[in-house]
């Protein structure tokens, strides 16, 4: 095989591999009335200035990107990392995954909560799912699923 052809094939392989690694969330839309007045914190829209989107485990960040890529829109976090004091004030569990940078409560403007729940139920990276009746957001965390579970651990109305 000529050297030139090998180089072209090598470059094509690298481009194809890199393209496969680019998260579809890169193309998620964060515009429209549902995002009006919201600020971004470390690349994630947050519902208020009390929401900490800095401390998200890589596994949780990739999970959020899965949601954004699937729905083509950016998530809006209601709650991210919480220190123990903030967690207690929010009524969080003593061993909350929010205190470990492994949980987020979020919604996506214009996407019905039932569609978020449906997607979460079939997404293998979701370890825990909370649905909170009467609230617009869902909780997802990246805990390890118990052995034999083929769906997330569910609580709070799921």
């Amino acid at each position: 095989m000529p050297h030139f052809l090998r180089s072209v094939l090598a470059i094509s392989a690298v481009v194809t591999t890199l393209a496969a690694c680019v998260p579809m969330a890169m193309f998620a839309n964060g515009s429209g009335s549902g995002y009006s007045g919201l600020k971004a914190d470390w690349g994630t829209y947050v519902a208020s200035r009390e929401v900490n989107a800095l401390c998200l485990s890589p596994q949780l960040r990739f999970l959020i990107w899965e949601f954004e890529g699937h729905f083509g829109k950016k998530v809006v976090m209601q709650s991210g990392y919480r220190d123990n004091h903030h967690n207690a004030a929010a009524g969080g569990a003593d061993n909350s995954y929010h205190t470990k940078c492994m949980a987020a409560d979020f919604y996506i403007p214009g996407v019905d909560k039932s569609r978020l729940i449906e997607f979460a139920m079939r997404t293998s990276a979701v370890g825990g799912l909370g649905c909170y009746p009467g609230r617009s957001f869902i909780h997802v965390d990246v805990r390890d699923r118990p052995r034999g579970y083929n769906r997330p651990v569910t609580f709070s109305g799921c």
Side-chain angles (χ1 to χ4, degrees):
M1 180 180 298
H3 180 69
F4 174 75
L5 187 54
R6 272 196 310 243
S7 297
V8 169
L9 288 174
I11 291 169
S12 296
V14 168
V15 168
T16 302
T17 302
L18 289 175
C21 293
V22 173
M24 290 304 295
M26 253 178 78
F27 306 106
N29 189 349
S31 63
S33 61
Y35 298 94
S36 180
L38 297 176
K39 76 173 196 122
D41 184 32
W42 299 96
T44 302
Y45 284 98
V46 293
S48 73
R49 60 187 178 101
E50 286 80 38
V51 177
N52 183 333
L54 169 61
C55 180
L56 299 179
S57 69
Q59 199 177 2
L60 180 58
R61 176 65 68 193
F62 283 123
L63 176 58
I64 288 170
W65 286 347
E66 272 192 74
F67 275 85
E68 290 177 342
H70 179 77
F71 291 102
K73 299 178 96 176
K74 294 288 194 177
V75 306
V76 177
M77 284 182 56
Q78 288 284 132
S79 185
Y81 169 73
R82 301 178 192 152
D83 62 27
N84 288 329
H85 176 74
H86 181 197
N87 189 58
D94 288 339
N95 203 21
S96 171
Y97 286 92
H98 285 282
T99 64
K100 302 172 187 176
C101 304
M102 296 173 62
D105 299 344
F106 64 82
Y107 65 95
I108 299 178
V111 176
D112 191 78
K113 185 169 105 171
S114 64
R115 291 182 59 210
L116 297 176
I117 293 167
E118 181 184 304
F119 182 70
M121 291 296 272
R122 65 176 195 267
T123 302
S124 63
V126 177
L129 174 64
C131 301
Y132 308 106
R135 306 299 288 272
S136 62
F137 60 87
I138 64 170
H139 164 100
V140 296
D141 62 58
V142 291
R143 73 180 80 185
D144 291 330
R145 291 180 179 181
R147 182 177 298 211
Y149 265 55
N150 61 356
R151 62 185 206 108
V153 173
T154 56
F155 56 93
S156 297
C158 292

